[in-house]
Amino acid sequence: MCWAGRMMLGTFSILLVFIHTAAACEFGPFPYRATGIVCRMTKPAALLLNQETAQVIQAAFRNAKFPNITGERSMRLLGRVSYGLSDIQVNDLSIERSEVELKEDDAIHISIRNVSALFKGTLTYGYAGAWFLQLFHSVDFEIESSIDLQLNIDLTCQKEQVAPDASDCYLAFHKLTLHLQGDKEPGWLKQLFTDFISFTLKLVLKREVCKEINAVAQTLTNFILNLAANFVQDKDIIVDISLASDPVIKASYIESHHKGLVLYKNNSSMLSDSVFSPSLLTESRMLYFWLSEHSLSSLAAAAFLDGRLVLNLRGEKLQELFEMEDTEVQRKAVQMIFQGTSYNDSVAKMWSLTQPQISLQPEGTVVRSLVAVEVSTLPTGEEEPLVALYMEKEIMVTIQATYAEKKLILQPVDSSVEIKVFKCRADPSGEDLSIRSFLQNMILVAGIPEVTSSIGSALTSLMNSKRLDLFDIINPEIITRKGYVIVQLDFGFPSHLLLNFVEKSL
């Protein structure tokens, strides 16, 4: 239930995934009706993620490819003066602070204050004097700078996906000081070239740094969209997270709406009666995911059609199931079913015969399904296993879900079992009701908890294979209501993931 959790990668990535302007996308007059998944990020989360912006900006500065800067000017007495700055690199970059502001129904404004950077390179200059005097020099230079950076991230929707535009980028220079060979050159030469190159240098820095930041935004967005798409896809089962309606930008939160349709082998059911309303979510936690009953039911249906709702137990697990209690009835049942065959030579297979029906209620997630259980044994001397027990049972179980210590825990809180078909090799007539009574009690007390625990472990492994376990998820709550579930949490950000990705991509 935490598919959208993989969207938590950095200020740019989170913000770019969660909002867009709808100029390029058309939605119907009642877009919420097609909403299966909703993501809401509140202002505290945006402020926390903004702390990572500094690393992105630093990477953009470091990786900007500054072109050689050339210029020429006629000077009285000196004649024509030409110059060129080459091999420009950034050193000793630091950022004093970064601020983010959510402009309601507008865009995301990120202000980077006092970016101190030392630019180094080589200055080559020459001039032909009025008396045919020619001088050519090449000296190392350093430029001390102090810059404010303002980003206004404008986002558009293209093909129901986010397309960011960070070209609305401004650099304000508080300081731009040129040093030639550690100030050993004459003062008039330093002043001459400072005047010559300052204006051109400012233009070049703005163009290249802003271009690099825009490229980072584009790269991060593509990375996050691909990552999110991979997170909600496992083999032939895919969750459609394309946008279902215009997102909302408020001063206190950002909210995006996604279709949440489940695609299985190119087949999908339509959702036109979603119960989502913005009032269902609050603003007390950092991150919210709202999931419709339709999305969860569709996932269960796809898992059934893909043959995933199968569980095999053998050895110690099988022994624990059949020896949950030490009574005469239990010992008799085990003897009749297994007839001396060891648990290691036996297997219990459980599978769903019908598509599970999912109903979300305040008490939890109610699951109804017709389930088959088959116990096979391999007696000594036999080459093929024999079916010792087969039964079909109609199960209804209410499950409460929690997420703790990076594990999804499914806990059955209420359940009922009705046996529909019962066949036992040791009791062909079915007259021994004690076996049936024991098995029904075993299913309720041990079987259903074992199945839900196995499903929880399988889902945890699946989510961790998508690297969810790398994120610090704090005090998550999974709250079910009639027709929907809300996952709400705070989080800590694994900053090394974003930085490593940016460094490798540039």
Side-chain angles (χ1 to χ4, degrees):
M1 286 186 272
C2 301
W3 311 294
R6 296 299 289 174
M7 293 182 182
M8 298 185 292
L9 275 184
T11 301
F12 285 116
S13 52
I14 275 284
L15 300 179
L16 298 181
V17 167
F18 280 177
I19 41 178
H20 72 290
T21 56
C25 297
E26 292 293 335
F27 301 108
F30 306 105
Y32 285 162
R33 292 184 180 179
T35 297
I37 298 175
V38 178
C39 302
R40 174 178 289 188
M41 184 182 69
T42 60
K43 184 65 177 290
L47 294 174
L48 173 66
L49 291 170
N50 185 58
Q51 297 175 10
E52 307 305 324
T53 302
Q55 296 189 54
V56 176
I57 299 300
Q58 287 175 336
F61 268 87
R62 285 195 300 268
N63 289 280
K65 306 301 181 185
F66 297 102
N68 294 340
I69 301 173
T70 59
E72 185 177 275
R73 186 173 178 180
S74 296
M75 296 291 294
R76 184 179 301 177
L77 299 179
L78 291 177
R80 189 176 67 255
V81 179
S82 60
Y83 62 89
L85 283 76
S86 59
D87 301 325
I88 303 176
Q89 298 178 348
V90 181
N91 295 84
D92 301 328
L93 181 69
S94 65
I95 295 176
E96 181 177 300
R97 68 181 186 275
S98 176
E99 301 170 354
V100 64
E101 184 178 5
L102 307 180
K103 290 289 188 179
E104 189 159 335
D105 300 323
D106 185 9
I108 309 160
H109 297 252
I110 300 177
S111 298
I112 314 295
R113 305 293 184 186
N114 289 340
V115 180
S116 297
L118 185 66
F119 297 89
K120 292 185 177 182
T122 302
L123 169 65
T124 302
Y125 62 93
Y127 47 91
W131 298 280
F132 304 103
L133 175 64
Q134 293 186 347
L135 297 175
F136 298 96
H137 294 277
S138 181
V139 297
D140 293 333
F141 72 85
E142 292 182 348
I143 299 174
E144 292 183 79
S145 67
S146 179
I147 307 168
D148 284 349
L149 176 62
Q150 176 70 46
L151 296 174
N152 300 313
I153 303 176
D154 184 26
L155 307 169
T156 59
C157 175
Q158 295 180 4
K159 298 180 180 180
E160 298 182 349
Q161 298 291 348
V162 177
D165 181 6
S167 60
D168 191 2
C169 169
Y170 299 92
L171 269 64
F173 290 84
H174 300 301
K175 179 181 181 182
L176 193 66
T177 305
L178 175 68
H179 299 282
L180 301 177
Q181 288 188 336
D183 280 340
K184 294 179 181 179
E185 290 293 325
W188 66 267
L189 182 61
K190 174 183 172 183
Q191 183 62 48
L192 171 66
F193 285 105
T194 298
D195 293 340
F196 275 9
I197 69 174
S198 289
F199 180 74
T200 304
L201 183 60
K202 289 178 181 179
L203 291 179
V204 170
L205 292 179
K206 176 187 182 302
R207 182 179 68 242
E208 298 303 322
V209 170
C210 289
K211 183 174 71 175
E212 191 66 26
I213 290 173
N214 196 34
V216 170
Q218 296 281 351
T219 303
L220 277 175
T221 301
N222 293 334
F223 172 74
I224 294 304
L225 290 175
N226 292 336
L227 192 64
N230 176 64
F231 189 77
V232 294
Q233 175 177 355
D234 188 59
K235 297 180 181 178
D236 291 329
I237 301 177
I238 303 169
V239 179
D240 182 2
I241 56 172
S242 58
L243 296 169
S245 66
D246 296 340
V248 177
I249 308 175
K250 298 294 184 182
S252 55
Y253 67 83
I254 303 165
E255 184 174 280
S256 67
H257 316 101
H258 308 266
K259 292 180 180 178
L261 301 177
V262 177
L263 310 178
Y264 178 69
K265 293 184 177 179
N266 296 323
N267 295 317
S268 173
S269 59
M270 299 302 295
L271 175 62
S272 60
D273 57 352
S274 175
V275 298
F276 174 74
S277 168
S279 62
L280 298 177
L281 302 179
T282 64
E283 302 172 23
S284 59
R285 306 297 298 274
M286 285 185 175
L287 198 60
Y288 294 81
F289 303 128
W290 182 96
L291 302 102
S292 69
E293 182 177 284
H294 180 273
S295 295
L296 292 181
S297 275
S298 298
L299 273 175
F304 168 74
L305 294 173
D306 204 46
R308 302 193 186 196
L309 301 184
V310 179
L311 177 65
N312 292 307
L313 298 177
R314 52 172 49 88
E316 291 183 3
K317 282 291 185 180
L318 190 57
Q319 183 176 2
E320 291 174 5
L321 192 64
F322 276 88
E323 297 184 4
M324 62 171 189
E325 56 183 32
D326 187 14
T327 63
E328 183 62 31
V329 173
Q330 174 262 322
R331 288 190 290 271
K332 177 183 176 182
V334 169
Q335 177 58 36
M336 290 187 66
I337 294 171
F338 294 94
Q339 297 184 353
T341 304
S342 72
Y343 290 111
N344 289 330
D345 293 326
S346 306
V347 59
K349 178 182 178 181
M350 308 177 194
W351 70 97
S352 184
L353 292 170
T354 60
Q355 175 180 318
Q357 301 300 309
I358 304 292
S359 175
L360 295 175
Q361 302 294 333
E363 297 78 20
T365 302
V366 181
V367 182
R368 294 179 175 86
S369 184
L370 182 63
V371 176
V373 175
E374 180 182 273
V375 177
S376 300
T377 63
L378 186 63
T380 303
E382 297 288 342
E383 295 183 359
E384 296 292 332
L386 303 175
V387 176
L389 175 70
Y390 175 84
M391 61 180 172
E392 296 175 5
K393 55 191 191 274
E394 191 170 300
I395 293 179
M396 183 176 71
V397 56
T398 301
I399 300 172
Q400 292 181 352
T402 56
Y403 188 85
E405 297 180 353
K406 302 185 183 298
K407 295 180 181 178
L408 179 64
I409 303 168
L410 303 180
Q411 180 67 41
V413 293
D414 186 28
S415 56
S416 64
V417 174
E418 182 181 353
I419 296 178
K420 298 290 187 179
V421 176
F422 182 85
K423 299 178 182 179
C424 181
R425 188 179 63 198
D427 181 27
S429 65
E431 294 178 355
D432 194 336
L433 299 180
S434 63
I435 296 180
R436 184 179 301 202
S437 176
F438 163 74
L439 291 172
Q440 183 155 345
N441 184 55
M442 180 197 73
I443 292 168
L444 286 170
V445 175
I448 291 176
E450 177 63 32
V451 170
T452 54
S453 175
S454 298
I455 293 174
S457 297
L459 290 174
T460 297
S461 297
L462 178 60
M463 291 187 295
N464 288 346
S465 71
K466 309 292 186 176
R467 298 192 294 176
L468 182 64
D469 54 330
L470 297 180
F471 295 86
D472 188 10
I473 299 175
I474 303 170
N475 298 326
E477 296 178 83
I478 303 174
I479 304 169
T480 54
R481 295 289 183 262
K482 184 174 177 57
Y484 63 91
V485 61
I486 297 173
V487 181
Q488 56 188 39
L489 53 96
D490 299 322
F491 63 90
F493 186 77
S495 58
H496 65 282
L497 291 181
L498 176 63
L499 186 59
N500 289 344
F501 166 72
V502 172
E503 294 286 4
K504 290 178 181 179
S505 301
L506 297 177

